[in-house]
Amino acid sequence: MLFPALPLREVGAKVMIDVLFVLDDKTETPAIVTRAAAMFSVARVSASGIGPEHVSSARVMVVHAALRNLHDVARIEDACDELRRRDDCVYVAKGSERAGIVQAESVGIGRVIAAHQPLEDVLAAIQCILNRDLANRLDGYPEQVIETINTTGTLFQQVAAAMREDGPLPLRLLSDSSRNIGAAIECVGLVEWINAVEMHHSQTCRHVLMVAGYADAFARSLGLSASDTLLFTKASLLHDVGKLFIPIGILEKAGPLSEQERRAIMTHPLRGAKALRKGSGAQPLVIAAARSHHEYLDGTGYPDGLAGGQICPLVRMLTIVDIYSALRETRAYKAGMTPRLAITEMAGMKGKLDPRLFAAFRDMVLNPVFGSQRSSRGPETRLANDCLLNGIHPLDRETRPLEVGHRAFG
């Protein structure tokens, strides 16, 4: 039995989801499901209707049912083997009765959370299982790659928690994460970095880590200074921070978006820029990136309809990298494109992208050895002067800065 409401995935879908909630029949949406749906991809099924096909499509199972009916208990046992019940399952008690807890423990559910415990304990248990699952899938990658992905994941967890409390964003890990991405790519090459990133359970984390990887490679291929490269990678990591306000069920929806859902997603640039201004210490160009990465040179972008010289060089570069990453990624609603198909698609966006930067990016990603190289150019081949920090187009290194409108800086 499926439950209506909330933009959640259908149970049994082919794509993997983060959390499967097992609920009593005719249960209204519990608060924990609503909270979890803002953070993870979520589906629901009734205890009387659960089957192996439901469990196999989820990384974590949360049972939030009274378990008074022995038939329901047997269904859960049949649907989920002993190992998964122990390692990947959480039981959240309903009310003060101990019967459900006793039944959960009797079938070997590894984590039991009492009804009086805060919802944060449930969310922490889910995140712990997802972190372990990610660690297992990253087994065999160099420690530097694993640590970089974990550090960046921690950064996003801290930022998301601050945003839920409407507080200043804690960006202490931002510089370290940005530098470590460049070091990880130098260690294994961009292709292996992307392969590792694709293991992440969160589509939003996968995307920003891919964008940051391509951004670091693009900056280095242009010979930008270390300061510019760091700034560009920081901006890439935070460009979609406003999406942390959008429910995962909308962001990772497998089918077409409704008009209301589309409008909700289009709020993320302004919401992200607003959050970054709130005492986070983010640089103005990082805020500009969050606000303006969907702007186009011909003025048809959003949210401000900026055009031409109103869009600074960093944002122009980020727009190219962001679009390319999105086209390359496999998502719930589409297959990823090959590099050549993605570049062909972008070449059709006449007047929207900076043509010289796009040509440089195209030459980089279509180079046969690109992505397999394990070391980037050393500091001796980089520009001595900062371009992006000073509003100078990277391909106009000796010219004056572009006239950039104040809105493009957030």
Side-chain angles (χ1 to χ4, degrees):
M1 173 181 177
L2 295 179
F3 297 80
L6 290 182
L8 309 181
R9 296 187 194 277
E10 292 186 0
V11 179
K14 295 293 184 183
V15 293
M16 286 293 290
I17 59 165
D18 293 331
V19 189
L20 172 68
F21 279 92
V22 182
L23 308 175
D24 286 320
D25 289 351
K26 300 179 181 178
T27 297
E28 294 188 7
T29 304
I32 184 55
V33 178
T34 304
R35 282 286 300 276
M39 300 172 61
F40 312 108
S41 56
V42 173
R44 299 169 291 186
V45 66
S46 68
S48 63
I50 189 172
E53 68 277 13
H54 305 137
V55 177
S56 64
S57 66
R59 296 185 175 93
V60 182
M61 185 169 78
V62 176
V63 180
H64 188 43
L67 299 185
R68 296 190 187 95
N69 189 321
L70 293 181
H71 172 75
D72 291 353
V73 177
R75 293 278 302 193
I76 292 172
E77 280 193 281
D78 292 341
C80 186
D81 64 46
E82 182 179 355
L83 187 62
R84 289 215 65 191
R85 292 198 301 272
R86 185 193 71 193
D87 293 344
D88 302 335
C89 191
V90 180
Y91 178 73
V92 182
K94 295 187 71 175
S96 58
E97 294 183 18
R98 280 199 49 81
I101 293 177
V102 171
Q103 289 284 22
E105 291 175 340
S106 72
V107 298
I109 292 179
R111 291 170 173 81
V112 175
I113 297 177
H116 64 80
Q117 292 180 246
L119 296 183
E120 284 70 21
D121 287 358
V122 183
L123 299 174
I126 293 171
Q127 189 64 62
C128 181
I129 296 171
L130 290 173
N131 288 348
R132 191 202 67 238
D133 175 71
L134 177 61
N136 290 338
R137 283 182 284 144
L138 288 174
D139 186 40
Y141 281 93
E143 186 61 34
Q144 189 169 30
V145 172
I146 297 172
E147 181 61 29
T148 298
I149 292 175
N150 287 339
T151 300
T152 308
T154 300
L155 168 66
F156 273 86
Q157 289 171 26
Q158 292 175 351
V159 168
M163 290 171 75
R164 285 194 294 273
E165 299 297 325
D166 197 29
L169 305 190
L171 301 183
R172 180 180 57 83
L173 296 175
L174 180 60
S175 291
D176 286 346
S177 293
S178 301
R179 290 190 187 94
N180 290 344
I181 286 171
I185 292 170
E186 289 189 12
C187 174
V188 298
L190 184 61
V191 169
E192 280 303 298
W193 168 255
I194 297 299
N195 289 341
V197 165
E198 286 178 336
M199 302 290 182
H200 206 289
H201 60 86
S202 165
Q203 177 181 294
T204 300
C205 272
R206 285 197 304 272
H207 177 65
V208 295
L209 287 168
M210 283 187 182
V211 171
Y214 285 120
D216 178 87
F218 192 23
R220 291 169 185 260
S221 76
L222 292 173
L224 298 190
S225 68
S227 297
D228 273 348
T229 300
L230 179 62
L231 172 65
F232 190 33
T233 309
K234 284 181 181 179
S236 302
L237 281 175
L238 293 179
H239 78 283
D240 269 346
V241 70
K243 286 186 176 177
L244 295 175
F245 287 108
I246 313 297
I248 296 295
I250 294 177
L251 293 175
E252 301 188 11
K253 185 176 179 180
L257 294 174
S258 68
E259 181 60 26
Q260 183 178 5
E261 291 167 340
R262 189 185 66 81
R263 286 199 301 269
I265 288 179
M266 289 181 68
T267 65
H268 81 269
L270 288 177
R271 298 179 81 174
K274 181 179 178 182
L276 287 170
R277 286 196 200 95
K278 193 174 293 183
S280 68
Q283 293 164 272
L285 281 167
V286 172
I287 299 173
R291 178 169 183 141
S292 303
H293 63 280
H294 285 291
E295 302 286 359
Y296 293 139
L297 294 184
D298 63 3
T300 61
Y302 69 93
D304 298 309
L306 304 182
Q310 293 179 300
I311 305 172
C312 66
L314 182 146
V315 172
R316 296 179 185 207
M317 289 177 64
L318 178 57
T319 299
I320 291 168
V321 171
D322 184 37
I323 293 171
Y324 180 78
S325 298
L327 292 173
R328 293 277 288 120
E329 292 166 37
T330 296
R331 297 185 176 178
Y333 53 87
K334 74 172 187 69
M337 291 184 178
T338 65
R340 195 164 293 279
L341 280 176
I343 288 296
T344 299
E345 182 81 9
M346 295 173 71
M349 300 175 67
K350 301 293 186 183
K352 298 183 183 298
L353 308 177
D354 185 299
R356 293 186 297 155
L357 287 172
F358 174 64
F361 184 79
R362 177 198 63 209
D363 292 345
M364 179 187 80
V365 298
L366 295 184
N367 185 325
V369 299
F370 170 72
S372 61
Q373 295 172 325
R374 295 196 174 192
S375 62
S376 299
R377 298 190 224 180
E380 69 279 1
T381 63
R382 294 189 181 186
L383 297 180
N385 299 320
D386 299 325
C387 293
L388 301 184
L389 282 162
N390 294 313
I392 300 172
H393 195 293
L395 302 179
D396 290 335
R397 293 165 182 174
E398 301 302 322
T399 62
R400 298 177 62 185
L402 292 170
E403 293 294 325
V404 180
H406 71 279
R407 287 189 299 170
F409 286 90

